[in-house]
Amino acid sequence: MLEPRIIEKLKQIIGADNTATERQDLLCYGYDATQMEFLPDVVVHPANADEVSQVLKLANAEKIPVFPRGAGSGFSGGALPKGGGIVLVTTRMNRIIRIDTDNLVAEVEPGVVTEQFQEAVEKLGLFYPPDPASLKFSTLGGNVAECAGGPRAVKYGVTKDFVMGLELVLPTGEIIRTGGETVKGVVGYDLTKLVCGSEGTLGVITRIIFKLLPYPDAKKTMLAVFDSIDGAATAVSTIIKGKIIPTTLEFMDHATIQCVDRRFNLGLPAEGRALLIIEVDGDRDLIEKQAGQIHDLIKPLGLVQFRVARDAAESEQLWKVRRLVSPSLRDVNPTKYNEDIVVPRSKVPDVIRRIEKIQQRYDIPIVNFGHAGDGNIHVNVMIDKEIPGMEEKAHEAIKEIFQAALDLGGTMSGEHGVGLSKAPYIPLELSPVQIATMKAIKGALDPNNILNPGKMFPE
Amino acid sequence: MDPLKRVEKDLKKCVKCGACRANCPAFSAYQREPAVARGKVALAQHLLAKDIELDDQTYLTMSKCLLCGSCVEKCPNEVPTDEIVIAAREALAEQRGLATFHKAVGRVIRNRKLMNMGAAMAAVLGPLFFRRVPANSGLRLRFPLPFVGGKRHIPELARKPFMSRHPEIIQGEPGKPRIIYFVGCMTNFVYTEVGEAALALFRHLGCTVIIPKDQQCCGLPGMSGGDLATVKALAERNLAVLEKYEADYIMTACATCGGALHKLYPAVVGKKHPELLKRLQAVAEKTIDAAVLLQKLGFNPEATGAGEAIRITYHDPCHLRNRAITRQPRELLQAAPGVQLVEMEGADKCCGLGGTFNVYHYDTSLRINAGKSEAIRCTGADAVVTGCPGCMMQLSDGLKQGGARTRVLHTLEILARKLRQ
Ligand SMILES: Cc1cc2nc3c(=O)[nH]c(=O)nc-3n(C[C@H](O)[C@H](O)[C@H](O)COP(=O)(O)OP(=O)(O)OC[C@H]3O[C@@H](n4cnc5c(N)ncnc54)[C@H](O)[C@@H]3O)c2cc1C
Ligand code: SF4
Ligand code: SF4
């Protein structure tokens, strides 16, 4: 419990209407998509960097933990107020400040919902490519803090590749700007990149300057079904070796296909063991040519079906196969642990084979799909909590899956971050010196460890 | 039984992903997590676990929902938040008693005599709801409830309710479908021209149209207030009336009534009163929206001849959208000669009425509506067309308050305009 005088001070800074201490509010700001729950002591909704700064100054002086929060759609518990303290929500900071069509940059506040930003720039013929599956509800601040990525990462990269500069409130309350609006800039350390993916542990992001691109002329969607997982995986490297970088290369394994087909009957061929959804974008004539080239390149790889969408409606039909994955998973088992390992593209078949072995050994259903183009596989360990012992077994299996990814030169998380849920595993991937270096940075910026404590590093 | 027990299984389905934050009108207005479906589901979970109370705070939170069902459509886990909110409101009503406004609503919609006589209803409701006031443009009605602020524009009550203008059975051609028309209060008392249009269209198709005199309010206002006893009473009376006639279809031209008969009767009343479930399901299966039925019966808008040129935009009522009825009205409207359909931005977004939501949270309801009015204005349309008389009232209110002259029409009015000349 916080002392009443602290709550009073917060109310003075943020306004009573924007400071919530009712139990109901606290309950509603204590969860995220991990389904873990912790109760904060107070929830504040600041309107600008100045208010954030005053909150952090107070918190730092009084040594009260502060947990930045966007939409709370995180998959690793980054926004959860473990241990209690102040939850600082960015929803009120939701203005798109400007979109500069001369320089192709935009400045936004962190609470803007990703899709709203995309729509706003697209109206001007511009393009903001990062597209996490949560784009309809997650915030840009959360995207930057988690360095969110999506299917278009193959060609365009992830959130950090579009962040040019930030306004950041440090844990001690100072407001700084990092980076800027110029394409080039080499003065000092690159603090912008450091903050991208820092999961709200180094500062509260209060402004973001994004780089934009022209909106691509046209796009083309294809669906390719293969008779083996190797066929699909080889197709990925073959296409890229053929000097075509598709916008997306989404992958579904046999278990996933079955899952979707069982429920929605999409008429996928029975001999299909894996499939790819391939999209190219750019100049209209060029993508027409590329679609032909892609077909020629992957034909010898055990291709059993190849569909090309002729228009937007057909493209939507093909994407539907992918979108139906999540809703059909629950038919396997009620609860899923969604891990998002990454391996080098060429190692996708190896990691899938290893996961199949793990699945057999633990006798737990595991469904894999994801962004084959960048080697990012969503490994869904499906459990039923009512079955005794299954949960524990699943955790063991997940640890082995992480190890498999690391053995193949990969990483434990490509999108979801470390947060609370992966903190215990971080020593699997990072050496003691690496961890110590990161902690030194954290310690320098946040001497009292008040900003999002308990996240990222094992306690 | 604790109403929340009824939805216990549904509560467990929520994985707290937050997908319901997209498009929740209550969340867009309040910008606070308790107002979004995920928050309400979380609170309902805690209510069931008895670690929070059915107190004022809960009451306020649960009142911040328009029962639009947008969250249910967006939810990857099929969590029926609307049913959960109704159950929570029912629990609140059971423990705290019904709010005065809802008591009045219940009294009125349960009273057969009052509901059958528009004038009487106006007289009884007058002091509470409507007060005739002179305005620049003639007589108009407005909400006098103190917390409504007296700003609302309400259309005038019809001089003669729709149902009292027509016999119970209007015989059609032999071999053609027999249709029961479930009229609904808004059409009967306020937008009678919607009823006339429906009648003209189905008579044009040769159908026999049955307008049972004893039909009652669908009960949605009661459901929205957690007054399940009233809803049950109404559902039972409606069942009796609807089962009285052999018919191929039960047709509604009101999205809200349709939603009640088609979805919420079995889902809410049926779950609470399993003894009624089978009968409610039978009614639900027969219930069909007028636009869908017109298409099904092969109605061709071109055949009725060219009407005056009009530029329209279409608003999706929540209770059609959440039954996946978005394509049919548009196809019909586009096929109507002289009609040019321009899409507005966010056509599928709630207009802000939300059952009785707009009575409790009128300012918020207007705020939600403001976005809608702006979207309509941007299309430059002469009229906004929709499939729900409730939405029509809300859209008119918003447009009038904003000083816009855009007309508000029902889909059927456009389709029937040549037939009724
Ligand atoms: C259905 C679903 C699909 C998803 N798909 C993807 C996907 O395809 N790709 C992907 O990368 N992720 C995905 N995610 C995960 C999640 O949506 C992303 O991590 C997203 O970026 C989180 O944004 P948020 O606004 O919800 O942040 P929150 O969950 O509120 O917070 C996430 C982290 O960011 C910090 N934070 C938030 N705002 C700020 C700020 N202004 N300053 C400093 N720190 C801040 C928080 O402290 C926390 O550590 C998905 C999640 C769901 C539920
Ligand atoms: S979308 Fe469904 S599962 Fe996700 S938080 Fe909302 S109600 Fe829960
Ligand atoms: S029914 Fe509508 S208003 Fe209510 S929680 Fe769902 S989306 Fe929000």
Side-chain angles (χ1 to χ4, degrees), chain A residues 68 70-75 78 132-134 139 142-143 145-146 148-149 199-200 203 205 415 452:
Chain A
S73 73
F75 260 141
S134 53
T139 67
N143 290 176
E146 293 286 0
E199 302 186 16
I205 301 159
E415 294 185 336
N452 218 356

Side-chain angles (χ1 to χ4, degrees), chain B residues 87-99:
Chain B
R89 289 184 184 173
E90 187 189 347
L92 282 157
E94 269 177 18
Q95 180 172 315
R96 297 157 50 99
L98 288 173

Side-chain angles (χ1 to χ4, degrees), chain B residues 156-226:
Chain B
E156 220 169 314
L157 289 184
R159 281 190 204 293
K160 195 170 178 200
F162 170 75
M163 300 221 308
S164 57
R165 298 179 194 170
H166 299 282
E168 181 142 335
I169 301 187
I170 298 149
Q171 203 63 45
E173 297 159 26
K176 290 286 166 80
R178 284 167 64 84
I179 297 169
I180 296 178
Y181 180 14
F182 190 86
V183 178
C185 311
M186 284 293 289
T187 303
N188 193 33
F189 298 119
V190 183
Y191 292 112
T192 53
E193 54 280 18
V194 174
E196 300 297 349
L199 204 52
L201 283 160
F202 288 98
R203 287 181 70 176
H204 166 76
L205 290 172
C207 301
T208 294
V209 182
I210 304 159
I211 311 173
K213 286 272 183 256
D214 280 348
Q215 55 178 292
Q216 310 288 318
C217 165
C218 69
L220 205 84
M223 191 138 21
S224 140

Side-chain angles (χ1 to χ4, degrees), chain B residues 282-350:
Chain B
V283 163
E285 270 162 37
K286 271 196 184 172
T287 300
I288 186 164
D289 179 70
V292 182
L293 183 56
L294 284 174
Q295 269 203 336
K296 201 167 174 168
L297 300 181
F299 172 72
N300 176 8
E302 270 174 60
T304 61
E308 51 163 336
I310 186 170
R311 188 179 160 93
I312 62 164
T313 187
Y314 180 79
H315 160 73
D316 288 288
C318 295
H319 298 122
L320 287 186
R321 193 203 60 232
N322 66 31
R323 289 185 288 148
I325 305 171
T326 54
R327 183 178 49 77
Q328 299 89 332
R330 286 185 171 79
E331 286 174 358
L332 286 166
L333 289 167
Q334 262 160 341
V339 172
Q340 186 202 359
L341 176 67
V342 267
E343 288 292 340
M344 69 173 100
E345 198 158 308
D348 60 346
K349 286 203 175 123
C350 179

Side-chain angles (χ1 to χ4, degrees), chain A residues 5 7 12 34 99 188 190 263 269 299 348 385 431:
Chain A
R5 94 190 145 79
I7 306 276
Q12 275 164 20
T34 56
I99 300 173
D190 190 346
R263 202 164 188 216
K299 209 165 145 194
V348 169
K385 286 189 177 170
S431 71

Side-chain angles (χ1 to χ4, degrees), chain B residues 3 6 59 62-67 82-106 109 217-231 234 264 268 354-360:
Chain B
R6 203 169 63 223
Y59 183 79
M62 290 300 171
S63 77
K64 290 174 182 170
C65 173
L66 297 96
L67 300 179
D82 48 356
E83 290 170 40
I84 291 169
V85 169
I86 290 170
R89 289 184 184 173
E90 187 189 347
L92 282 157
E94 269 177 18
Q95 180 172 315
R96 297 157 50 99
L98 288 173
T100 335
F101 168 70
H102 279 298
K103 261 191 225 150
V105 170
I109 61 184
C217 165
C218 69
L220 205 84
M223 191 138 21
S224 140
D227 182 2
L228 269 279
T230 295
V231 182
L234 290 169
L264 290 174
V268 178
T356 46
F357 175 87
N358 74 102
V359 176
Y360 280 117

Side-chain angles (χ1 to χ4, degrees), chain B residues 331-384:
Chain B
E331 286 174 358
L332 286 166
L333 289 167
Q334 262 160 341
V339 172
Q340 186 202 359
L341 176 67
V342 267
E343 288 292 340
M344 69 173 100
E345 198 158 308
D348 60 346
K349 286 203 175 123
C350 179
C351 65
L353 184 79
T356 46
F357 175 87
N358 74 102
V359 176
Y360 280 117
H361 303 290
Y362 183 62
D363 286 333
T364 312
S365 147
L366 263 193
R367 233 185 312 141
I368 298 171
N369 189 252
K372 197 89 225 180
S373 295
E374 177 60 16
I376 296 168
R377 207 185 52 76
C378 286
T379 63
D382 308 312
V384 52

